[in-house]
């Protein structure tokens, strides 16, 4: 049976470990976070996000990533995702007057539209731009598909090969023509499909989410070395397309199979850095710091650690890079890619 889509974090368990903030002056753009209300757990709205952003790290801006929150409940199906963009735009305006007012909350919005509509999706994209109050940047269309059927991370289960479909590419062409970004959420087994897309559209602004969705659970459990070798080769092949950037994060999900969420106590940032370093350093080497950006993927990755510990882990991994390289990894790349 597929694993739970998004296991909920345990606040009491997370409270068992805390740390001093490392490099508190280092500027951070959180390039990927979500917002959602009950019944999804944990609730992550103004109070929860503000608490994380104000916990000690120097977050100067955030980018909201679609997660099917606040969809319209009626009207044409193809337009219901407009509700999410409306919700986040209003959220950002309210946050500008709240406790995280100096944190640049949701300075960029990445929503959803279905590129399988083909050219007609342009109408939906322009409507998102209109309701986005100047914050709209582009879309994420998850195409994650596991051929073994043993892992699942999204409510929707798309069929195999969506990125290769002619109709999808027809819609993608309209997205590129409008100068909008495309976040790709795929599993490591699908990286070659994204490489094909990137090569066909060299002018596209493509962002690979979560270091390419390395799976370490389900049918892939116990195969870390084998998976890593194949993933690494495909990452270097994809990185040869200079129109692709890479998000460094998402490794706290159960998907990765690190198992920190099953321990009696939460992991330290040193433990996270040790486990995640091979993946993050591979991506930085392949894409370069100017095409890599750290992300929290909160509240999803909260199943593994708190927001302060997560960014401490990233800072430990990046400790050997130069000041200019750190500036790009923690803020500069996201500022360029998302214009925030």
């Amino acid at each position: 049976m597929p694993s739970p889509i998004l296991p909920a974090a345990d606040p009491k368990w997370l409270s068992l470990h805390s740390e001093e903030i490392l490099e508190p002056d280092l500027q951070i753009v959180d390039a990927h976070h979500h917002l959602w209300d009950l019944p999804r757990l944990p609730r992550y709205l103004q109070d929860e996000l503000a608490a994380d952003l104000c916990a000690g790290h120097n977050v100067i801006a955030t980018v909201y990533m679609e997660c099917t929150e606040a969809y319209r409940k009626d009207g044409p199906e193809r337009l219901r995702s407009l509700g999410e963009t409306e919700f986040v735009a209003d959220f950002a305006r309210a946050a500008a007057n709240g406790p995280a007012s100096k944190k640049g909350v949701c300075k960029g919005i990445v929503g959803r539209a279905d590129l399988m509509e083909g050219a007609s999706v342009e109408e939906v994209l322009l409507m998102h731009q209109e309701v986005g109050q100047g914050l709209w940047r582009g879309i994420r269309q998850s195409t994650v598909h596991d051929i073994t059927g043993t892992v699942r991370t999204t409510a929707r289960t798309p069929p195999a090969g969506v990125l290769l479909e002619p109709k999808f590419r027809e819609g993608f062409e309209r997205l590129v023509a409008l100068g909008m970004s495309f976040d790709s959420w795929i599993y490591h087994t699908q990286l070659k499909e994204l490489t094909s897309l990137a090569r066909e559209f060299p002018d596209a602004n493509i962002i690979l989410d979560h270091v390419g969705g390395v799976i370490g659970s389900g049918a892939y459990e116990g195969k870390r070395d084998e998976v890593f070798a194949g993933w690494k080769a495909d990452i270097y092949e994809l990185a040869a397309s200079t129109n692709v950037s890479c998000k460094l994060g998402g490794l706290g999900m159960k998907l990765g199979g690190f198992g920190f969420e099953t321990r009696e106590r939460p992991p330290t940032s040193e433990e996270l850095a040790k486990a995640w370093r091979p993946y993050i350093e591979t991506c930085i080497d392949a894409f370069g710091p100017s095409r890599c950006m750290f992300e929290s993927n909160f509240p999803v990755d909260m199943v593994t650690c708190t927001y302060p510990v997560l960014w401490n882990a990233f800072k430990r991994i990046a400790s050997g890079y130069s000041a200019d390289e750190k500036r790009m990894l923690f803020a500069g790349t996201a500022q360029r890619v998302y214009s925030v």
Side-chain angles (χ1 to χ4, degrees), residues 193-210:
E193 297 176 20
L194 186 61
T195 298
S196 169
L197 183 70
R199 289 173 176 172
E200 182 173 341
F201 297 93
D203 295 329
N205 180 11
I206 298 173
I207 303 98
L208 175 68
D209 289 358
H210 311 329

Side-chain angles (χ1 to χ4, degrees), residues 112-129:
R112 188 186 187 277
D114 186 2
L115 298 184
M116 284 295 288
E117 279 194 32
S120 65
V121 77
E122 180 171 349
E123 176 190 14
V124 182
L125 295 171
L126 291 173
M127 293 175 74
H128 275 288
Q129 188 173 60

Side-chain angles (χ1 to χ4, degrees), residues 172 182 184 191 194-199 201-209 235 237-247 283 286-288 290-293 333 336-337:
F172 192 83
F182 178 74
S184 179
L191 283 166
L194 186 61
T195 298
S196 169
L197 183 70
R199 289 173 176 172
F201 297 93
D203 295 329
N205 180 11
I206 298 173
I207 303 98
L208 175 68
D209 289 358
I235 281 289
E237 184 180 18
L238 175 61
S241 295
T242 58
N243 55 338
V244 183
S245 302
C246 181
K247 284 183 178 171
C283 289
F287 289 91
S290 66
R291 289 196 285 140
C292 287
M293 64 193 101
T333 299
R336 175 183 60 79
V337 168

Side-chain angles (χ1 to χ4, degrees), residues 45-270:
L45 294 174
Q46 289 283 11
D47 292 346
E48 295 80 14
L49 177 63
D52 280 341
L53 296 181
C54 297
H57 290 290
N58 187 20
V59 180
I60 61 170
T62 80
V63 177
Y64 174 83
M65 192 59 46
E66 67 85 27
C67 57
T68 69
E69 181 66 17
Y71 271 31
R72 293 177 179 176
K73 298 187 184 302
D74 51 27
E77 183 69 30
R78 64 194 288 265
L79 301 183
R80 292 188 181 183
S81 62
L82 289 166
E84 183 169 30
T85 300
E86 293 166 330
F87 157 69
V88 181
D90 290 342
F91 184 99
R93 185 167 54 186
N97 297 310
S101 60
K102 297 181 180 180
K103 298 297 184 177
V105 175
C106 301
K107 288 188 72 174
I109 298 174
V110 177
R112 188 186 187 277
D114 186 2
L115 298 184
M116 284 295 288
E117 279 194 32
S120 65
V121 77
E122 180 171 349
E123 176 190 14
V124 182
L125 295 171
L126 291 173
M127 293 175 74
H128 275 288
Q129 188 173 60
E130 182 178 354
V131 302
Q133 301 180 34
L135 303 175
W136 173 260
R137 297 294 181 265
I139 73 162
R140 177 171 76 159
Q141 183 164 350
S142 171
T143 57
V144 287
H145 182 89
D146 169 42
I147 59 173
T148 73
T150 60
V151 296
R152 185 181 175 194
T153 54
T154 57
R156 301 184 186 90
T157 304
V162 172
L163 296 178
L164 303 175
E165 289 289 338
K167 202 67 175 177
F168 176 92
R169 296 197 174 193
E170 181 183 303
F172 192 83
E173 183 177 18
R174 301 315 311 148
L175 180 83
V176 175
L178 291 170
M180 297 177 182
S181 64
F182 178 74
D183 267 74
S184 179
W185 176 210
I186 54 176
Y187 295 143
H188 73 269
T189 53
Q190 302 171 284
L191 283 166
K192 290 186 184 297
E193 297 176 20
L194 186 61
T195 298
S196 169
L197 183 70
R199 289 173 176 172
E200 182 173 341
F201 297 93
D203 295 329
N205 180 11
I206 298 173
I207 303 98
L208 175 68
D209 289 358
H210 311 329
V211 301
V214 183
I215 311 175
S217 56
Y220 306 86
E221 187 174 355
K223 300 179 179 179
R224 188 165 300 280
D225 291 345
E226 176 186 342
V227 168
F228 185 88
W231 165 84
K232 181 177 180 179
D234 288 343
I235 281 289
Y236 275 93
E237 184 180 18
L238 175 61
S241 295
T242 58
N243 55 338
V244 183
S245 302
C246 181
K247 284 183 178 171
L248 309 175
L251 291 165
M253 291 186 288
K254 184 178 178 180
L255 176 77
F258 293 100
F260 289 116
E261 75 282 357
T262 66
R263 301 186 351 172
E264 289 186 9
R265 294 181 63 87
T268 65
S269 61
E270 292 98 327

